[in-house]
């Protein structure tokens, strides 16, 4: 591990030897996806004009590029080698949103660790992850890459990922630099349209969208990436408020900031600048240290410095940030990749981590009359139907450039291996893909369902329907899938839906047509065995939703941490379009915050997820009803497993600050813990809550905890009603 003082001295010494061109070179990143070291890259490296490359994943090519940079350039500065290692490298973990459904920071950290070790074998020393944009809009395709809608869950998992990628020692073999992205508020794009405008008031920005970035910075993340979008009128890539005031002055970040792909030149397209030179000026002035892929910096920064518009001090500050990261990564000592020094990719540990992550990520949304688990002993045949039952590539999800599809085990194969000897497993794909509107094979599917003891439908959306630039306005199951469900339902055979998707979907049109739903996200390499084990009761589902499931798109954004409003909806004060004539005029019905044509609640709430165990929560209590600022209250609950199987449960603590100087959410997650209970076991689960944990950014943008009344709930989802209260006394405001 590098000593900070020595690192600063080394940075200063090297910087002192650099020409302006070499400094600008450090600030420039080039695409190197050709699969070899082409002349133009070699020449750039020799001239010291390239500080980083991306998208090269061949250790020999990386070593050759490093060799040229080190041996043939004047100062021999090694390269940062970046890649989107988002949820695994060869071994693919569930998509990040699926990992968030595990509510298991240790497991998420291990997933990132496995990904780092595998990526390092290819010479990658920098991943563009974690993506920690809070997202409350499932239309946005990039919600798949996010950790969901909740500040605390995202904070904890963001830190876990940073720690997993970077390891205990960033300079150790197998540790790679992380990049928290996209700074900031990219997840708030209008109507979920990727790249669109974001408008977020500063209190909301600080209380919601910036929090995970602050947590990542405090966890030592090496880099941040800017967002493509404009925020409150200023594109993030030219946003001095974000990149200087918040990130550097308030948070003291000393890593470096990279633009997104060509997002500096896009400042012109946004209408912020007239040309690339002005774009380079805006980005450098705002605090973007490195340009990803574009050439605005390499073409224009030197002239801007010579004209006196950008000071050499500003350039030096950016280069210092980049060199500091390179020293911390140990690149000057160990620039070359030796795959033989690292564990083999896709080893048993990697696959087991992927299997555990998939297992814990699956959320059982519904299970009527114990339709699940299926019992292999008491059935003779099962029908497997649907476009995603045997789709090894699709189950990997978005952003899997390097994922090895040959490692994928599909649910179809896993079910065969698990029960194929005892149960007749029949399979009809029924649709070529999830978008298909051809129903020619539905009769055959209905036939095998009719003849079987249960029908398992593998539905959802392929990986190309979520991720970057994959926004959808209609988030029902695409194609004719709902019709397929109805056809199978009509056979009278119990119907189990297993849904693989990159986003929360609106399932209103199928929810009553099926007996049970397992929502499996895109579960990665080991999705099949995990799903098979859950279907047949080898394991109990334990995933919990990291994002709310709307009933219909018109409800979006709908999330658990909404504000109360002055007219909150309740069952007694809402009307429906079908009874508005009779109900609304007679009373004050309908004068609250709701939609006339749907229920005001979501279809499935944040934190929801069923189990084969029967968990009961009782006796919520606090150790005291009053605390002073700076003190801690302990909130406890008893959790019993009154079922007959052992299972994990994710216990969740929510809090509401009843009166505050700005309106506060009706519930905020303040703690969670995954616990395992044997049948008949009861445990007490305690959460310590310090008054700092209740701090928020108030009207003057300072982090404060305000005294007053708080409600606290504990339960198995955000809908829990098991409540206690406490009060914070003391009028001294408490700075964070
Ligand atoms: C654009 C994406 O927005 C970003 O997340 C990604 O890291 C870069 N491209 C590099 O592929």
């Amino acid at each position: 591990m590098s000593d900070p003082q020595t690192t600063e001295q080394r940075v200063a010494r090297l910087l002192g030897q650099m020409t302006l061109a070499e400094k600008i070179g450090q600030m420039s990143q080039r695409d190197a996806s050709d699969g070899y070291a082409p002349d133009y890259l070699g020449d750039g490296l020799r001239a010291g004009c390239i500080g980083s490359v991306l998208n090269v994943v061949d250790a020999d090519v990386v070593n050759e590029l490093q060799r040229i940079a080190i041996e043939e350039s004047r100062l021999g500065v090694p390269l940062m080698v970046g890649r989107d290692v988002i949820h695994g490298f060869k071994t693919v973990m569930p998509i990040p949103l699926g990992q968030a459904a595990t509510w298991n920071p240790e497991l998420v950290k291990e997933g990132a660790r496995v990904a780092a070790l595998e990526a390092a074998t290819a010479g990658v020393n920098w991943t563009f992850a974690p993506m920690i944009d809070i997202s409350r809009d499932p239309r946005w395709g990039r919600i798949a890459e996010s950790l969901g809608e909740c500040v605390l869950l995202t904070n904890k998992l963001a830190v876990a990922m940073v720690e997993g990628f970077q390891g205990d020692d960033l300079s150790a073999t197998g540790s790679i630099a992380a990049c928290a992205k996209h700074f900031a508020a990219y997840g708030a794009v209008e109507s979920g349209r990727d790249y669109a405008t974001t408008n977020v008031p500063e209190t909301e920005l600080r209380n919601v969208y910036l929090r995970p970035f602050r947590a990542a910075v405090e966890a030592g993340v090496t880099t941040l990436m800017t967002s493509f979008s404009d925020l409150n009128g200023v594109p993030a890539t030219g946003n001095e408020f974000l990149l200087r005031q918040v990130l550097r002055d308030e948070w003291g970040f000393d890593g470096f900031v990279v633009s997104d792909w060509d997002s500096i030149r896009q400042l012109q397209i946004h209408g912020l600048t007239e040309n690339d030179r002005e774009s380079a000026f805006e980005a450098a002035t705002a605090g973007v240290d490195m340009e990803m892929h574009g050439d605005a910096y390499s073409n224009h920064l030197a002239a801007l410095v010579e004209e006196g518009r950008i000071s050499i001090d500003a350039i030096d500050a950016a280069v210092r940030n980049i060199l500091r990261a390179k020293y911390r990564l140990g690149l000057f000592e160990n620039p070359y990749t030796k795959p033989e020094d690292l564990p083999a990719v896709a080893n048993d540990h990697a696959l087991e981590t992927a299997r555990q992550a998939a297992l814990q990520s699956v959320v059982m949304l519904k299970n009527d009359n114990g339709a699940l688990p299926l019992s292999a002993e008491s059935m003779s045949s099962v029908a497997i139907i649907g476009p995603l039952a045997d789709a090894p590539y699709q189950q990997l999800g978005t952003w899997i450039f390097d994922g090895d599809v040959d490692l994928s085990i599909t649910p179809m194969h896993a079910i065969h291996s698990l029960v194929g000897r005892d149960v007749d497993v029949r399979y009809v794909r029924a649709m070529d893909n999830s978008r298909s509107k051809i129903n020619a094979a539905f009769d055959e599917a209905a036939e095998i369902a009719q003849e079987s003891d249960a029908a398992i439908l593998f539905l959802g959306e392929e990986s190309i329907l979520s991720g970057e630039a994959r926004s959808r306005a209609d988030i029902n199951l695409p194609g004719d899938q709902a019709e397929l469900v109805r056809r199978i339902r009509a056979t009278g055979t119990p119907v189990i839906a297993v849904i693989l998707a990159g986003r929360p979907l609106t399932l209103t049109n199928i929810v009553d047509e099926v007996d049970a739903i397992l929502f499996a996200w895109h579960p990665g390499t080991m999705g099949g065995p995990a799903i098979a084990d859950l279907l047949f009761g080898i394991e109990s589902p334990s995933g919990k939703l990291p994002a709310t499931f709307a009933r219909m798109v018109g409800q979006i954004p709908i999330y658990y941490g909404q504000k109360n409003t002055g007219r909150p909806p309740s069952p007694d004060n809402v009307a429906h379009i079908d009874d508005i004539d009779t109900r609304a005029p007679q009373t004050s019905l309908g004068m609250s915050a709701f939609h006339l044509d749907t229920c005001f609640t979501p279809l499935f709430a944040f934190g929801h997820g069923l189990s084969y165990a029967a968990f009961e929560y009782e006796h919520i209590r606090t150790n005291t009803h009053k605390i002073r600022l700076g003190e801690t209250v302990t909130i406890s609950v008893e959790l019993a497993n009154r079922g007959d199987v052992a299972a994990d449960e994710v216990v969740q603590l929510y809090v509401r600050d009843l009166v505050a100087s700005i309106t506060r959410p009706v519930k905020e997650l303040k703690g969670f813990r995954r616990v395992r209970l044997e049948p008949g076991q009861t445990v007490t689960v305690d959460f310590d809550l310090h008054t700092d944990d209740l701090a928020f950014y108030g009207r003057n943008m300072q982090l404060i905890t305000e005294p007053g009344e708080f409600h606290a709930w504990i339960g198995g989802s955000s809908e829990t009603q098991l409540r206690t209260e406490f009060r914070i006394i003391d009028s001294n405001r408490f700075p964070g």
Side-chain angles (χ1 to χ4, degrees):
M1 211 172 303
S2 52
D3 161 47
Q5 213 178 339
T6 325
T7 303
E8 288 313 303
Q9 285 164 357
R10 295 175 80 185
V11 167
R13 207 173 310 126
L14 182 53
L15 190 65
Q17 299 170 48
M18 289 179 134
T19 63
L20 178 58
E22 285 164 339
K23 291 176 184 175
I24 295 168
Q26 287 303 306
M27 297 171 72
S28 306
Q29 185 185 57
R30 292 277 171 266
D31 180 36
S33 54
D34 305 87
Y36 62 101
D39 287 349
Y40 69 88
L41 272 185
D43 293 347
L45 291 170
R46 281 181 200 97
C49 294
I50 301 174
S52 170
V53 291
L54 79 164
N55 293 341
V56 49
V57 280
D58 177 321
D60 293 337
V61 178
V62 172
N63 281 339
E64 175 58 6
L65 295 174
Q66 290 286 26
R67 192 197 61 73
I68 299 172
I70 291 159
E71 292 180 11
E72 298 185 22
S73 76
R74 196 177 73 88
L75 295 172
V77 184
L79 292 164
M80 297 279 291
V81 180
R83 182 68 162 172
D84 290 286
V85 184
I86 306 298
H87 53 113
F89 192 68
K90 295 289 175 208
T91 308
V92 180
M93 307 293 149
I95 54 169
L97 191 60
Q99 291 186 51
T102 69
W103 296 53
N104 187 338
E106 276 308 310
L107 185 56
V108 168
K109 179 174 166 180
E110 199 47 42
R113 189 79 214 121
V114 166
L117 288 165
E118 291 194 351
T121 64
V124 172
N125 56 33
W126 178 22
T127 174
F128 303 127
M131 196 271 230
I132 54 177
D133 298 310
I134 299 269
S135 176
R136 294 168 168 182
D137 196 329
R139 293 171 296 186
W140 190 45
R142 299 198 82 169
I143 196 172
E145 286 175 69
S146 85
L147 299 165
E149 74 182 40
C150 172
V151 175
L152 184 82
L153 187 59
T154 301
N155 283 358
K156 297 278 186 214
L157 301 182
V159 169
M161 284 190 174
V162 170
E163 290 176 351
F165 287 128
Q166 299 197 162
D168 296 335
D169 176 359
L170 187 58
S171 64
T173 303
S175 292
I176 65 176
C179 179
K181 70 187 189 184
H182 305 83
F183 197 58
Y186 185 34
V189 285
E190 280 181 351
S191 81
R193 247 178 322 121
D194 206 6
Y195 316 123
T197 291
T198 60
N199 281 299
V200 184
E202 193 174 335
T203 45
E204 191 72 357
L205 191 65
R206 289 181 178 275
N207 284 317
V208 177
Y209 295 94
L210 295 184
R211 284 273 177 112
F213 288 94
R214 185 168 189 171
V217 166
E218 284 169 4
V221 71
T222 306
T223 66
L224 258 69
M225 186 188 296
T226 61
S227 153
F228 277 128
S229 296
D230 56 332
L231 173 65
N232 302 333
V234 182
T237 302
N239 197 311
E240 209 165 341
F241 163 73
L242 285 175
L243 300 176
R244 290 209 187 277
Q245 181 182 322
V246 174
L247 184 61
R248 302 284 177 187
D249 300 347
E250 295 181 22
W251 299 352
F253 178 62
D254 70 354
F256 74 86
V257 174
V258 64
S259 76
D260 204 337
W261 183 273
D262 212 17
S263 69
I264 295 183
R265 295 190 326 143
Q266 288 167 17
L267 293 177
Q268 183 190 353
I269 307 174
H270 275 284
L272 190 79
T273 62
E274 276 186 5
N275 51 41
D276 287 356
R277 175 173 299 202
E278 293 309 309
S279 297
F281 172 78
E282 290 293 338
T285 309
V288 178
D289 301 312
M290 183 184 282
E291 179 175 24
M292 180 188 285
H293 178 68
D295 54 13
Y297 275 7
S298 52
N299 287 343
H300 300 290
L301 275 186
L304 287 162
V305 173
E306 276 146 26
E307 285 165 12
R309 292 183 64 204
I310 293 185
S311 70
I312 194 67
D313 287 353
I315 299 288
D316 284 355
V319 178
R320 222 178 274 121
N321 293 335
I322 295 166
L323 294 179
R324 190 181 295 123
K326 292 185 174 186
Y327 279 113
R328 285 181 180 163
L329 259 172
L331 287 182
F332 287 86
E333 288 74 25
N334 292 307
Y336 298 111
T337 299
K338 295 184 205 108
E340 62 280 8
D341 290 351
L342 288 154
V345 298
N347 57 40
D348 289 350
H349 173 70
L351 294 173
E352 177 53 22
T353 305
R355 196 186 71 87
Q356 268 303 327
L359 202 57
Q360 296 187 22
S361 73
V362 176
V363 182
M364 185 159 69
L365 294 177
K366 159 176 183 170
N367 190 20
D368 280 359
N369 308 318
L372 284 177
L374 300 171
S375 156
E377 287 82 52
S378 52
M379 65 199 303
S380 57
S381 56
V382 64
I384 297 183
I385 296 166
L388 291 162
D390 195 23
Y393 176 79
Q394 306 304 343
Q395 74 183 45
L396 298 181
T398 184
W399 282 118
I400 43 110
F401 289 148
D402 306 293
D404 183 347
V405 72
D406 293 336
L407 293 171
S408 273
I409 306 179
T410 66
M412 229 277 288
H413 278 90
I415 292 170
H416 254 293
S417 326
L418 188 66
V419 299
R421 245 176 277 130
D422 310 318
V423 179
D424 183 12
V425 181
R426 300 154 178 169
Y427 169 55
V428 171
R429 188 181 172 100
M431 298 169 72
D432 276 351
N433 58 53
S434 73
R435 291 100 65 206
S436 168
K437 296 201 170 113
I438 299 168
N439 57 17
F442 286 12
D443 284 346
E444 196 191 347
E447 231 164 78
I448 65 158
Q450 180 101 53
E451 292 160 4
S452 301
D453 296 318
I456 313 175
L457 268 62
F458 286 88
L459 307 170
E461 41 172 40
E462 282 85 22
S463 55
I464 48 154
L465 295 189
S466 59
E468 188 175 346
R470 301 288 189 264
S471 301
R472 293 183 58 203
D474 170 355
I475 56 169
N476 282 340
L477 288 170
D480 259 358
Q481 293 184 78
E483 176 57 22
L484 177 63
V485 174
R486 277 188 287 276
R487 292 288 294 279
I488 304 304
R489 179 62 164 183
T491 64
T493 300
V495 184
I496 314 298
V498 180
I499 300 178
L500 285 80
R503 55 161 62 77
L505 296 169
T506 44
L507 300 172
T508 308
N509 61 347
I510 62 129
V511 71
D512 295 330
E513 308 282 336
V514 299
D515 297 284
I517 303 177
L518 291 181
F519 204 87
W521 317 99
H522 287 133
T525 303
M526 297 299 281
I531 290 168
D533 281 0
L534 293 170
L535 285 168
F536 287 91
I538 313 294
E539 303 276 353
S540 172
S542 60
K544 299 278 185 175
L545 293 180
T548 302
F549 276 46
R551 293 172 190 273
M552 55 203 294
V553 161
Q555 289 182 300
I556 297 169
I558 179 167
Y559 51 95
Y560 84 92
Q562 279 177 325
K563 305 291 183 69
N564 203 35
T565 80
R567 292 186 168 201
S570 74
D572 319 324
N573 68 7
V574 296
H576 189 269
I577 198 159
D578 295 334
D579 62 21
I580 188 166
D581 285 343
T582 50
R583 268 165 72 83
Q586 290 159 18
T587 65
S588 60
L589 280 170
M591 308 303 267
S592 63
F594 75 106
H595 295 107
L596 262 182
D597 39 16
T598 187
C599 184
F600 62 89
T601 57
L603 187 60
F604 296 111
F606 175 84
H608 170 74
L610 304 174
S611 167
Y612 297 149
F615 290 116
E616 285 178 21
Y617 288 84
E618 288 165 341
H619 307 307
I620 187 170
R621 58 195 179 274
T622 54
N623 65 333
T624 168
H625 285 294
K626 277 188 199 151
I627 50 168
R628 290 182 179 280
L629 288 173
E631 292 180 347
T632 297
V633 58
T634 303
I635 305 164
S636 318
V637 80
E638 267 155 42
L639 172 65
N641 178 357
R642 305 239 152 84
D644 49 17
V645 295
D648 282 10
E649 166 72 338
V650 178
V651 182
Q652 303 159 39
L653 167 72
Y654 295 88
V655 168
R656 178 172 177 195
D657 185 348
L658 290 193
V659 180
S661 57
I662 62 165
T663 55
R664 304 289 297 129
V666 289
K667 269 183 185 164
E668 276 186 294
L669 185 75
K670 287 295 172 188
F672 60 90
R673 197 164 313 138
R674 184 176 262 273
V675 290
R676 186 163 189 87
L677 266 72
E678 296 299 319
Q681 192 183 353
T682 301
V683 292
T684 302
V685 182
D686 295 326
F687 292 98
D688 289 336
L689 197 59
H690 189 274
T691 55
D692 280 5
D693 299 327
L694 298 163
F696 62 94
Y697 289 89
R699 288 190 204 186
N700 59 4
M701 305 306 152
Q702 298 301 310
L703 195 59
I704 50 168
T705 302
E706 293 181 354
E709 281 294 331
F710 290 79
H711 283 172
W713 297 259
I714 298 182
S717 93
S718 61
E719 285 182 322
T720 172
Q721 298 297 322
L722 194 62
R723 196 185 87 191
T724 184
E725 294 91 30
F726 63 94
R727 168 175 274 276
I728 298 181
I729 50 173
D730 196 329
S731 55
N732 292 333
R733 291 202 160 181
F734 186 75

